[in-house]
Amino acid sequence: MADKIHDLFVIGGGINGCGIARDAVGRGYSVALAEMNDFASGTSSGATKLIHGGLRYLEHYEFRLVRESLMEREVLWAMAPHIIWPMRFVLPYQKGGIRPAWLIRLGLFLYDHLGGRKLLPPTAVLDMRRDEAAKPLKALFSKAFEYSDGWVDDARLVVLNARDASDKGALIMPRTKVVSARRENGLWTIETVDTVSGIAAVHRARMLVNAAGPWVDHVIRGAFGKNEARNVRLVQGSHIVVKKKFEGPRAYFFQNPDNRIIFAIPYEDEFTLIGTTDRDFSGDPKDVRISQEETEYLCKAASEYFKEPVRQDDIVWTYAGIRPLFDDGATKAQEATRDYVLKLDGFVGSEVNRAPLLNVFGGKLTTYRRLAEHALEKIGEAIGTKGAPWTAKSHLPGGDFPVQGYEAEVTKLHKAYPFLAASHARRLVRRYGTRASVLLGTAGKIEDLGRLFGSDLYEAEVLYLMAHEWARTTNDILWRRSKKGLHLSHSEVALLDQFISEIIQRQVAAQ
C-alpha cells in the first residue's frame, strides 16, 4: 500500500488532464497523473490545431464559449509564443452562397469585439480581383473576409503542460494504466500498471479527476462499475495533409454546400493541412482512422475552391481524432456543443464516503486553461482551496519571451550556435523556445549534435526528448514531439527506431 496520500489523482494525459495537473500543483496541491499511452496520443493531437474563438459556433448561439475562447487566444499566445502564433484566415465570399454577407459581417463584428482583442489585427475585407489570396483559388470570388485566430502545435502544448507540472512537483506517469479505483476510508485507492514494464502500483488520493477524454465514460463504467454512464458523444474529425497548395502564411476558411466548413492551412513549411470532418463514432477510440468517404469528401470540398484540384495522390499523411463532446442531444454531429461540462460526484460532503470525484466532459484546446481554472474551483469546493489562479500570467517551458519576439529568439540562438542552418535554428525555436539552448548544450559545431537521422533531426534532439519529454518510441518523436515523420524516409525511420531501442536497452541494463 502506498504511503503518500496525494490531494489529487488525475486520470488522462491529454490537454485537459495535463492542464488541470499543472494548475493544481502550482497552487500547492500534491498531484499525481496517469496516462495509459503517450501524452496527446488521442484527441489532443488529432485536432485542426487552432487557437480560435469558433466563428461557426456563433450559429449555434454558443456565445459564452465563443467569448471565453476569444479571450483565451492572446492569453495562450503570451504563455507559449514558441508553439502558438497568430494566423490570418481568408473566407472567400460568393454572392448567393450558403451564408449571406450580412450574417458573415455580423459574426465577424462579434468576433472582433466580444473577446477583448488587443494585439490580433481586426477583420478586413479583401478585393479578390487584386489580393494575393485569390491566386490559388478559382475565379469565383470578387470579395473575401479576412480575420484573425491562432495556430498551435497541439501535442507540444500538452507535453509542455506535463513538463511544467512535473517541474513543479507533480508525479507524472505516462504509459500507466489505471486498472481500478475505489473509495476506502474517505480516500481513493487507485491501482495502476506500467504498460511497458508490467509493474503494478497502488496510489492513494483525497480526490480523483477523470479527464480521460474519449475514454471518460469507459473509466466511469470500468473503474467505478457504473454501467449506465453515457455522457459523451464521440465525434470523429479527420484531416489530410497534401503537398503545398499555396504560398504565404494565410489560411483559408471554406464554406461547403452541405453547410459545413473546412480549413486549408499552411503546414510544416512544405504542406497544406485540410480538415475537418464531423461524423459520429461508435468504435474503440484507439482504432480511429480516416475513412475513404472522408478522404473523398475533403478532396472534393477543397477542389471546389482551388484552381488545382486536390487529388488523393497528393496526400502525404492523414490523421483522425475523436472529440468527446458532451452529449446535449443535438441531431447532427457538427451541431453538438463544443463547450465543456464538469460534474462533481454526489458523494461530496458525506461523512461516510467523503472521497470526491470530478468528471470532465468535452472541451477544446483553446479553452483548456479556463477549464482547468473552473475544475480547480470544483476541487476547492470538494477538498478545500489552496492558492489562487495563476496560469493567466504564466509561461510554459521555453515560452518566456515576448509574443512578438520569435525572430529575436531565432537571431539569439543563431548567434550562440552559428553552425546551425537558418531553417534549423528557426525550427528549434518553434519547438523549444528558450530551451533550445538546453538541447544544444555546449555544442560548438554541427558534428557535436551526434548522428543525423534525416532532415535536421540529430541525436542530441532525440536524447533531449527522451530525457526531458518522456519520448520512448519513434512515433512519440516523429509525430507528437515533432512532425519529422513527414520528412524522413522509411530507412531513416528504421535507423531512428534502432537507436531508440539501443538507448532503452542500456537504460534497462543500468537499472
Side-chain angles (χ1 to χ4, degrees), residues 1-7 30-32 169 171 187 202-205:
M1 179 65 70
D3 293 326
K4 181 177 177 61
I5 298 175
H6 294 282
D7 291 320
S30 60
V31 178
L171 174 62
L187 296 172
V202 177
H203 310 267
R204 291 194 295 168

Side-chain angles (χ1 to χ4, degrees), residues 241-262:
V241 176
V242 301
K243 300 166 189 174
K244 186 189 287 189
K245 300 297 294 184
F246 54 88
E247 298 295 332
R250 290 184 287 188
Y252 291 90
F253 178 120
F254 295 148
Q255 304 177 86
N256 303 335
D258 60 4
N259 211 35
R260 289 161 57 185
I261 62 99
I262 64 168

Side-chain angles (χ1 to χ4, degrees), residues 10 69 76 85 102 146 175 194 206 232 237 245 329 490 499:
V10 180
S69 300
L76 297 182
W85 58 92
W102 68 265
E146 184 184 55
R175 301 176 185 84
D194 185 308
R206 298 171 61 206
V232 292
K245 300 297 294 184
H490 291 299
F499 174 77

Side-chain angles (χ1 to χ4, degrees), residues 91-242:
L91 196 169
Y93 172 72
Q94 186 176 17
K95 193 171 183 180
I98 298 298
R99 295 167 180 85
W102 68 265
L103 182 62
I104 296 173
R105 286 183 184 275
L106 175 60
L108 290 172
F109 176 83
L110 291 173
Y111 220 66
D112 272 351
H113 296 90
L114 200 58
R117 176 185 54 81
K118 295 178 181 177
L119 297 176
L120 293 171
T123 296
V125 178
L126 306 181
D127 183 347
M128 295 295 271
R129 294 166 296 186
R130 297 180 177 85
D131 199 280
E132 291 288 313
K135 281 191 174 181
L137 305 182
K138 293 177 179 178
L140 301 172
F141 314 100
S142 60
K143 180 169 66 175
F145 300 94
E146 184 184 55
Y147 68 93
S148 293
D149 262 328
W151 171 260
V152 63
D153 187 329
D154 51 3
R156 291 207 58 73
L157 182 66
V158 177
V159 79
L160 292 182
N161 272 273
R163 178 69 269 161
D164 203 38
S166 179
D167 291 344
K168 288 177 167 59
L171 174 62
I172 302 296
M173 301 176 286
R175 301 176 185 84
T176 302
K177 186 174 183 178
V178 172
V179 293
S180 73
R182 60 186 181 275
R183 290 179 168 100
E184 291 183 339
N185 301 319
L187 296 172
W188 283 100
T189 297
I190 305 106
E191 296 180 1
T192 63
V193 62
D194 185 308
T195 59
V196 176
S197 68
I199 296 173
V202 177
H203 310 267
R204 291 194 295 168
R206 298 171 61 206
M207 183 170 183
L208 194 66
V209 177
N210 177 15
W215 291 272
V216 63
D217 277 343
H218 176 79
V219 169
I220 295 172
R221 292 193 294 266
F224 312 132
K226 296 186 177 181
N227 295 323
E228 75 282 1
R230 296 289 186 278
N231 297 284
V232 292
R233 177 176 186 168
L234 301 183
V235 174
Q236 176 171 335
S238 297
H239 302 76
I240 59 175
V241 176
V242 301

